[in-house]
Amino acid sequence: MASFTLTDAYVAINSVDWSSKVRDVKLNTSVDINENTAMGASWKTRLPSLKDFSLDITFNQDHANSGLDDVLWALFGTSTTIELRAAASAVGSSNPKWTGSAILQDYQPVGGKVGDNAELPIKFIGNGALTRAEA
């Protein structure tokens, strides 16, 4: 896939597609780096260690019965499955998917200034491996 504009990301939480309510999404990955420089070295050396991920999402808030707030509030502080794709189209070599188990760590059900859109920013923190698949 060549360069593209992110306009149709796919976001599923606990196997439910919430893409139509997503305003902003960011999948963050990192790896801990351990220094292992030994005596006599004149440059530091390092080894990669444990990997981690988090998922930041901002939704258009929905307090309707069985809506977004109902579902996510029930998941707050628990581990669930997440899936993310750059586009809602089928998974493939130009549209991989990332899946993993994550804990809903941050949840802000109400916030903003007068006249602002009602948004719901949340953060999932990885709880195990994040996998990438093209099929």
Side-chain angles (χ1 to χ4, degrees):
M1 176 186 275
S3 297
F4 66 99
T5 301
L6 188 63
T7 60
D8 191 27
Y10 176 85
V11 176
I13 300 168
N14 202 24
S15 301
V16 177
D17 178 1
W18 291 103
S19 305
S20 66
K21 298 216 178 273
V22 173
R23 293 183 54 84
D24 186 353
V25 62
K26 291 178 186 72
L27 178 61
N28 311 293
T29 59
S30 63
V31 62
D32 292 339
I33 304 294
N34 295 329
E35 184 183 331
N36 72 335
T37 308
M39 293 291 174
S42 55
W43 290 86
K44 290 183 179 183
T45 58
R46 294 173 174 86
L47 293 171
S49 183
L50 300 173
K51 296 176 184 175
D52 198 6
F53 76 93
S54 65
L55 179 63
D56 297 308
I57 309 169
T58 301
F59 291 101
N60 287 317
Q61 180 56 290
D62 177 0
H63 287 124
N65 190 28
S66 299
L68 183 67
D69 183 63
D70 263 0
V71 172
L72 292 181
W73 181 251
L75 294 175
F76 181 53
T78 67
S79 189
T80 191
T81 303
I82 56 102
E83 180 181 337
L84 176 66
R85 295 182 239 150
S89 56
V91 176
S93 60
S94 62
N95 191 37
K97 70 175 179 177
W98 289 267
T99 56
S101 181
I103 298 168
L104 182 50
Q105 179 184 29
D106 294 337
Y107 189 84
Q108 186 183 53
V110 178
K113 300 177 297 195
V114 65
D116 283 353
N117 290 332
E119 296 181 344
L120 172 61
I122 66 171
K123 181 181 196 89
F124 283 99
I125 193 88
N127 188 24
L130 177 69
T131 59
R132 180 184 184 275
E134 295 181 354

